[in-house]
């Protein structure tokens, strides 16, 4: 592939990954503001820990909605226009969450109605996250050549983690040297408002990138599709790729289960396991976890930054290895590391020996996740579904992921009140099950075009005409 074509693909990918950056920024900004929200709403209104957990996790309701809607919008209006809508929602949510009192309420006077409106703004941002989480990797997967597709889609996870790291720095910078009273009054608002900057940048840059050739072909815009493909491949390869794409639309109906139930179930379970191992508990509640280890507020946010740096480093490892070693081995290795990390935290919690060892086990856990389940689930979701059902199937898988995320995150405070050791043991057990699931049911997809993967799926039937588990099809 010529250097200028590679640069073109990478530049397009970087714009699309801003959706991932905002995904990470929006979901992690709550980590710095969580304590202030408890002070402002839960303490003043005498709310239970469950209600506070639901408030902290309210954006996830929007993520579920956005995930469900992503298939319709991506199929009806295109991948690019859906990402533009997500950028607008990010911008609106950032400003509304920072100052929910605007127009209807008085600042500094919390009420149940104000709490409800704050959650509405967070849900709107969550819809943006749900759309971007499904469509950004879908967009990259449909643009990228097969030999670098894993790395380019993994860049979206890098952007998610980088967005989290950026907001950890922003939150720490806002809180550093300030009194708790100032953070509870003003600081948390600045944390939410800061998201408006990357959201505006994402919105503007989206007008500079093309629609994906696979979506254009699905709309019978073959000349436009070929024009994009010709910028990615040489002319002969571009023609062959367009032929394969059009052939994939002509040979099968576009019903969700027309390629069998198993492929959809595998996508859903990949998404569910990615959340049931407990990663977003570590991300959302990181400062509180470190405060429980004895760190001061600004020190706990600094330790969160350390964890964020580890996340970035190990996501880079995944990017560098996913097209070399494949998806499946990295997922299994990650499951083993997550199991060690979570059972280590659980054992220390049972022994009431919270300290630096806890930080070490949390880092082992998050590093294992970031080199495996973090990026590679998104790669697989962008790859395993055939062209005709990709929008629908990705939407269902992503919605399932956010539903699982919401369940895990919102129940964490209540579970911790019951038993910290039990909570982390549960996530450890899920880590074991995730590895067994991958070993038995998940296919290897490296080095194959999306259309080649689809052909393998069509051939993966038993003698009775039923689809085999996808990992067994050749």
């Amino acid at each position: 592939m010529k250097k200028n074509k590679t640069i073109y693909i990478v530049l397009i990918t970087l714009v699309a990954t801003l959706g991932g950056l905002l995904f990470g920024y929006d979901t992690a900004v709550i980590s710095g503001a969580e304590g202030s929200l408890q002070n402002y709403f839960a303490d003043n209104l005498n709310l239970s820990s469950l209600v506070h957990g639901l408030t902290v996790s309210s954006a996830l309701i929007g993520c579920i909605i956005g995930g469900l809607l992503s298939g319709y919008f991506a199929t009806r209006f295109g991948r690019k226009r859906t990402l533009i809508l997500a950028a607008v929602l990010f911008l609106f949510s950032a400003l509304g969450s920072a100052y929910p009192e605007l127009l209807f309420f008085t600042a500094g006077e919390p009420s149940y109605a104000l709490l409800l409106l704050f959650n509405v703004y967070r849900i709107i941002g969550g819809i943006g996250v749900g759309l971007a989480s499904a469509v950004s990797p879908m967009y990259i997967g449909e643009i990228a050549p097969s030999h670098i597709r894993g790395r380019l889609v993994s860049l979206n996870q890098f952007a998610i983690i980088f967005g989290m790291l950026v907001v950890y720095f922003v939150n720490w910078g806002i809180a550093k040297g300030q009194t708790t009273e100032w953070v509870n009054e003003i600081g948390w608002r600045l944390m939410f408002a800061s998201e408006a900057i990357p959201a505006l940048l994402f919105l503007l840059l989206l007008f500079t990138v093309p629609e994906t050739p696979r979506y254009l072909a699905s709309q019978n815009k073959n000349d436009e599709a070929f024009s994009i493909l010709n910028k990615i491949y040489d002319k002969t390869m571009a023609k062959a790729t367009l032929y394969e794409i059009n052939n994939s639309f002509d040979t099968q109906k576009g019903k969700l289960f027309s390629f069998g139930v198993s492929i959809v179930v595998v996508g859903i379970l990949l998404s569910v396991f990615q959340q049931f191992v407990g990663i977003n508990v570590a991300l959302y509640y990181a400062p509180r976890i470190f405060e429980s280890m004895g760190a001061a507020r600004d020190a706990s946010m600094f330790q969160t930054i350390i964890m964020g740096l580890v996340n970035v480093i190990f996501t880079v490892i995944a990017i560098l290895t996913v097209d070399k070693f494949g998806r499946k081995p990295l997922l299994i290795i990650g499951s083993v590391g997550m199991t060690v990390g979570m059972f280590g935290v659980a054992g220390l919690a049972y022994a009431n020996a919270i300290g630096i060892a806890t930080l070490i086990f949390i880092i082992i856990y998050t590093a294992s996740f970031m080199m495996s389940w973090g990026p590679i689930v998104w790669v697989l979701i962008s790859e395993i579904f055939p062209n005709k059902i990709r929008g629908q199937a990705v939407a269902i898988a992503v919605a399932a992921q956010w539903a699982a995320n919401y369940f895990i995150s919102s129940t964490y405070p209540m579970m911790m009140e019951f038993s910290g050791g039990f909570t982390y043991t549960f996530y450890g057990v899920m880590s074991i099950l995730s590895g067994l699931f991958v070993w038995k049911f998940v296919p290897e997809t490296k080095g194959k075009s999306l259309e080649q993967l689809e052909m393998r799926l069509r051939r993966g039937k038993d003698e009775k005409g039923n689809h085999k588990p996808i990992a067994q099809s050749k």
Side-chain angles (χ1 to χ4, degrees):
M1 186 181 297
K2 293 182 179 180
K3 184 177 180 180
N4 62 333
K5 293 183 181 291
T6 301
I7 292 173
Y8 175 73
I9 296 165
V10 170
L11 289 176
I12 291 174
T13 297
L14 289 177
V15 173
T17 58
L18 283 175
L21 186 144
L22 281 158
F23 166 178
Y25 202 109
D26 191 87
T27 53
V29 68
I30 198 75
S31 68
E34 180 259 329
S36 297
L37 291 175
Q38 179 170 3
N39 175 269
Y40 189 58
F41 288 116
D43 293 347
N44 284 319
L45 299 176
N46 196 29
L47 303 176
S48 68
S49 60
L50 177 61
V51 173
H52 176 60
L54 293 173
T55 298
V56 171
S57 306
S58 62
L60 299 178
I61 297 174
C63 294
I64 298 169
I65 296 170
L68 287 171
L69 293 176
S70 65
Y72 172 79
F73 281 104
T75 302
R76 178 70 176 81
F77 301 109
R79 286 51 161 153
K80 177 180 174 178
R81 289 178 181 173
T82 304
L83 289 176
I84 290 173
L85 173 60
V88 171
L89 295 176
F90 282 131
L91 184 61
F92 184 70
S93 173
L95 299 176
S97 299
Y99 197 73
E101 296 92 346
L102 185 66
L103 298 179
F104 304 109
F105 301 95
T106 303
E109 297 182 6
S111 65
Y112 293 107
L114 179 61
L115 176 64
L116 178 62
L117 184 59
F118 172 81
N119 281 299
V120 168
Y121 283 122
R122 289 293 292 154
I123 289 170
I124 289 171
I127 294 173
V129 171
L131 293 175
S133 66
V135 180
S136 285
M138 186 192 305
Y139 180 96
I140 299 167
E142 290 187 349
I143 285 281
S146 59
H147 69 285
I148 58 172
R149 188 176 60 241
R151 275 174 281 174
L152 293 182
V153 177
S154 293
L155 281 175
N156 188 64
Q157 175 67 19
F158 177 84
I160 294 171
I161 300 307
F162 187 72
M164 292 178 176
L165 180 61
V166 168
V167 79
Y168 290 154
F169 272 107
V170 170
N171 288 349
W172 177 59
I174 289 171
K176 182 175 171 58
Q178 302 292 344
T179 64
T180 300
E181 290 74 19
W182 183 89
V183 173
N184 287 342
E185 182 179 351
I186 298 172
W188 67 273
R189 298 179 186 274
L190 297 179
M191 294 175 188
F192 285 114
S194 65
E195 186 183 346
I197 297 171
L200 182 60
L201 179 64
F202 183 43
L203 177 62
L204 296 175
L205 288 177
L206 279 171
F207 289 99
T208 69
V209 301
E211 184 53 84
T212 73
R214 286 172 172 84
Y215 175 75
L216 292 170
S218 74
Q219 302 299 303
N220 296 315
K221 297 180 179 180
N222 287 317
D223 290 342
E224 294 178 48
F226 178 75
S227 176
I228 302 304
L229 289 169
N230 201 34
K231 295 178 181 179
I232 299 171
Y233 306 102
D234 60 51
K235 190 172 183 178
T236 301
M237 187 63 180
K239 286 183 177 179
T241 302
L242 183 58
Y243 174 80
E244 281 189 347
I245 292 171
N246 282 321
N247 188 54
S248 73
F249 287 114
D250 292 338
T251 55
Q252 196 86 17
K253 295 180 180 180
K255 295 180 180 179
L256 180 62
F257 297 116
S258 56
F259 293 85
V261 175
S262 63
I263 184 63
V264 179
V265 173
V266 166
I268 291 172
L269 290 179
L270 277 169
S271 294
V272 170
F273 273 119
Q274 191 198 48
Q275 300 306 314
F276 267 58
V277 296
I279 184 61
N280 281 305
V281 164
L283 298 177
Y284 297 155
Y285 293 96
R288 176 166 290 202
I289 292 171
F290 294 134
E291 281 182 36
S292 72
M293 292 163 48
R297 185 183 183 90
D298 60 348
S300 70
M301 289 192 179
F302 183 71
Q303 288 176 320
T304 303
I305 291 173
I306 294 174
M307 192 172 74
L309 288 169
V310 170
N311 294 348
V312 168
I313 291 169
F314 280 86
T315 301
V316 170
I317 291 174
I319 292 170
L320 296 176
T321 57
V322 64
D323 284 319
K324 183 178 181 181
F325 298 125
R327 288 57 160 152
K328 196 165 181 173
L330 289 178
L331 285 176
I332 293 173
I333 291 169
S335 292
V336 172
M338 291 188 301
T339 300
V340 171
M342 270 302 175
F343 278 119
V345 174
L348 291 169
Y350 276 123
N352 198 26
I354 305 299
I356 191 66
T358 305
L359 175 60
I360 292 171
F361 278 117
I362 288 175
I363 288 175
I364 291 172
Y365 166 79
T366 56
S368 299
F369 180 90
M370 294 305 165
M371 65 161 285
S372 59
W373 281 82
I376 294 173
V377 167
W378 294 110
V379 173
L380 283 168
I381 287 175
S382 74
E383 292 177 329
I384 62 175
F385 300 122
N387 285 331
K388 270 200 170 182
I389 67 167
R390 184 169 297 120
Q392 304 170 63
V394 168
I396 290 172
V398 171
Q401 183 178 116
W402 287 114
N405 187 335
Y406 182 70
F407 173 80
I408 292 295
S409 300
S410 61
T411 56
Y412 173 74
M414 185 171 56
M415 288 176 69
M416 286 297 290
E417 284 188 357
F418 173 72
S419 169
F422 169 81
T423 301
Y424 297 121
T425 298
F426 173 80
Y427 303 143
V429 171
M430 291 298 107
S431 297
I432 293 174
L433 293 177
S434 70
L436 294 174
F437 167 71
V438 170
W439 172 66
K440 184 67 176 175
F441 296 107
V442 175
E444 183 53 70
T445 59
K446 75 167 183 173
K448 298 179 178 66
S449 73
L450 300 180
E451 289 69 38
Q452 287 171 334
L453 292 170
E454 182 172 327
M455 285 299 296
R456 186 175 74 170
L457 184 63
R458 287 184 206 149
R459 292 195 299 267
K461 297 181 179 181
D462 61 24
E463 62 277 7
K464 295 181 180 180
N466 300 313
H467 283 265
K468 299 177 185 178
I470 185 171
Q472 297 176 15
S473 60
K474 304 294 184 187

